[in-house]
Amino acid sequence: MELTTTDRPSGKQAKNPLVMAHEQFDAAADLLGLGEGLRKLLKSPARQLIVSCPVKMDDGRIEVYTGYRVQHNLARGPAKGGIRYHPSVTLDEVTALATWMTWKCAVVGIPYGGAKGGVVVDSTKLSLSELERLTRRFTVEIGIIIGPEKDIPAPDMYTNPQIMAWMMDTYSMHKGYSVPGIVTGKPVEIGGSLGRREATARGVMITVREACRYLGRDLTGMTVAVQGFGNVGSIAAEMFHDAGAKVVAVSDVFGAIYSAGGIGPHAVKRHELEAGSVVGFPGAEPISNADLLELDVDCLVPAALEDQINESNAHRIRAKLIAEAANGPTTPEADKILRDRGIFILPDILTNAGGVTVSYFEWVQDMATFFWDEDEVNSKLERLMSRAFKDIVALMDTRKVPDMRTAAHMLAIERVAKATELRGIYP
Ligand code: GLU
């Protein structure tokens, strides 16, 4: 199956993610009473780089791929964020994702600004050596703005530890010595961190557990549907199952599967590794991705692309809790509909921040050349994520903000604004 654009099944154009990011920002900035100048500054990306990457294909042809690296804000530290390989990547999307990275890092209190990169490519169509050549060329092209003290890439959709290893090697070859701190999400053998692979999913679990405590709900027996079976969705499904929740549905680009009695995500993973998809898993009923989103479950975990819950399906969502493991899965229009219907949303900039948090731990370990055991990584992640949850809830209480997304943005924007004010505007 082809990886196509994010256009909705109705044929309607997907909402521009940058418009989404700005609407979310404005809602929080209004409540903060943020001045016009700071608003302009905090909405503007610091740097946007567009590159062309020529790649010699296996058949001798030359193909040219467009890539982007955007650094949104650098007030709190070096820029940080993943690299996405997807045919629907646009400059606006990468800029929105970089913006969300700024708020994400500020919410969990790690000393980074936000960045994101992307290449317009269906990487599933490339051979391994074509993928390697594209990655190495892209690394050199964005090499003028990345660096362990400047901007540190990581995996995102359709990129992985092997791709990070090639990026690290390419950058190191140009320097003449190993620079493990240039990327995070590397294999452990070359300076990666224990616990990084599972970190985003673990962060989702920590957030849902905190939410259950806060809302007085029980994680044990909770029914869960997970959209997306990549690094985040598949591990989150396994962790929910292991924690005593009942995962009733999962999906990938090929379709979704459902079983009221629970689907056993570990077995689904084994099936997916063999069959190439979750579809066809014995004992589960095939449903569509759209059906999965509208299931009557306690918790819905969107772990795929942006714009999955929008004004066209928000009225039909029946989950009581939505844990945004993806970046930007819910549009502001859907947010309002869901809020009015009493559905509680755990926002992306908190819920999926476990990945970048352990990326920070990986970078710290690389810079110190001193590596931690997995328990240390996990307990530090636990502490940072729980603290972020409590900080947001405290802000909701003291400032009477009913929705968690706006409160999380307020917390983050205040932190970045404060750093900007302290540093001043140069010159
Ligand atoms: N791509 C991930 C995200 O969206 C991880 C970024 C990182 O680790 O720098 O948060």
Side-chain angles (χ1 to χ4, degrees), residues 208-231:
V208 170
R209 204 199 50 221
E210 289 289 340
C212 285
R213 262 186 217 141
Y214 175 69
L215 299 167
R217 296 179 193 169
D218 205 353
L219 187 69
T220 319
M222 173 187 249
T223 53
V224 183
V226 182
Q227 185 205 28
F229 210 66
N231 182 53

Side-chain angles (χ1 to χ4, degrees), residues 80-82 101 104 116 152 154-156 184 196 327 352 355-356 359:
K80 185 85 191 80
M101 286 308 300
K104 204 185 290 187
K116 202 81 175 199
I152 306 114
D156 195 77
T184 59
R196 174 62 186 86
N327 291 306
N352 70 35
V356 74
S359 274

Side-chain angles (χ1 to χ4, degrees), residues 95-108:
T95 306
L97 290 161
T99 309
W100 286 322
M101 286 308 300
T102 299
W103 312 139
K104 204 185 290 187
C105 293
V107 159
V108 286

Side-chain angles (χ1 to χ4, degrees), residues 5 85 120 135 144 149-150 175 201 225 247-248 281 348 423-424:
T5 66
Y85 286 176
V120 187
T135 299
I144 55 174
E149 277 106 11
K150 298 194 288 189
K175 287 283 170 192
V247 180
V248 294
F281 179 70
D348 47 5
R423 289 178 62 156

Side-chain angles (χ1 to χ4, degrees), residues 41-344:
L41 190 161
L42 296 179
K43 273 164 116 166
S44 310
R47 297 181 184 122
Q48 295 175 300
L49 178 65
I50 307 177
V51 297
S52 294
C53 302
V55 177
K56 215 180 265 172
M57 308 305 279
D58 292 345
D59 63 7
R61 264 180 323 115
I62 295 170
E63 199 58 76
V64 181
Y65 296 95
T66 304
Y68 307 100
R69 184 70 184 172
V70 175
Q71 298 172 352
H72 170 256
N73 188 284
L74 306 158
R76 298 181 60 260
K80 185 85 191 80
I83 307 266
R84 172 174 294 199
Y85 286 176
H86 200 274
S88 72
V89 163
T90 64
L91 182 59
D92 273 0
E93 183 195 36
V94 175
T95 306
L97 290 161
T99 309
W100 286 322
M101 286 308 300
T102 299
W103 312 139
K104 204 185 290 187
C105 293
V107 159
V108 286
I110 57 175
Y112 285 139
K116 202 81 175 199
V119 178
V120 187
V121 61
D122 182 349
S123 58
T124 62
K125 294 258 160 60
L126 301 189
S127 71
L128 201 62
S129 55
E130 288 168 342
L131 191 63
E132 177 175 351
R133 286 195 292 277
L134 170 62
T135 299
R136 290 188 183 277
R137 182 62 186 241
F138 178 63
T139 306
V140 171
E141 294 297 339
I142 64 167
I144 55 174
I145 61 167
I146 62 169
E149 277 106 11
K150 298 194 288 189
D151 178 356
I152 306 114
D156 195 77
M157 287 182 64
Y158 291 94
T159 53
N160 56 33
Q162 175 60 73
I163 289 174
M164 294 306 113
W166 291 327
M167 291 190 76
M168 178 270 200
D169 183 69
T170 304
Y171 189 87
S172 300
M173 283 296 140
H174 282 253
K175 287 283 170 192
Y177 53 90
S178 287
V179 188
I182 179 62
V183 288
T184 59
K186 299 177 291 297
V188 174
E189 292 83 353
I190 55 167
S193 177
L194 294 169
R196 174 62 186 86
R197 196 179 67 87
E198 303 84 359
T200 310
R202 191 176 299 280
V204 173
M205 274 306 301
I206 296 168
T207 309
V208 170
R209 204 199 50 221
E210 289 289 340
C212 285
R213 262 186 217 141
Y214 175 69
L215 299 167
R217 296 179 193 169
D218 205 353
L219 187 69
T220 319
M222 173 187 249
T223 53
V224 183
V226 182
Q227 185 205 28
F229 210 66
N231 182 53
V232 180
S234 68
I235 301 178
E238 290 175 352
M239 285 183 176
F240 272 108
H241 174 85
D242 296 345
K246 185 159 78 173
V247 180
V248 294
V250 296
S251 72
D252 60 25
V253 281
F254 302 101
I257 53 168
Y258 170 78
S259 167
I263 51 129
H266 295 279
V268 176
K269 184 80 213 168
R270 285 193 294 276
H271 168 83
E272 191 242 7
L273 286 174
E274 272 175 29
S277 170
V278 300
V279 175
F281 179 70
E285 171 191 333
I287 58 170
S288 71
N289 247 301
D291 293 338
L292 178 140
L293 293 173
E294 295 167 19
L295 285 173
D296 186 5
V297 287
D298 296 315
C299 181
L300 173 65
V301 184
L305 275 168
E306 299 97 70
D307 191 50
Q308 297 303 298
I309 305 171
N310 49 50
E311 80 273 13
S312 65
N313 62 358
H315 295 282
R316 294 193 300 272
I317 302 288
R318 286 180 290 170
K320 292 159 198 77
L321 179 68
I322 298 176
E324 294 184 336
N327 291 306
T330 313
T331 65
E333 292 77 9
D335 252 345
K336 188 177 175 325
I337 298 167
L338 297 171
R339 212 158 46 230
D340 291 346
R341 295 183 50 224
I343 296 171
F344 197 86

Side-chain angles (χ1 to χ4, degrees), residues 73-78 416-427:
N73 188 284
L74 306 158
R76 298 181 60 260
V416 181
K418 182 75 192 165
T420 308
E421 270 163 5
L422 285 168
R423 289 178 62 156
I425 306 297
Y426 180 85

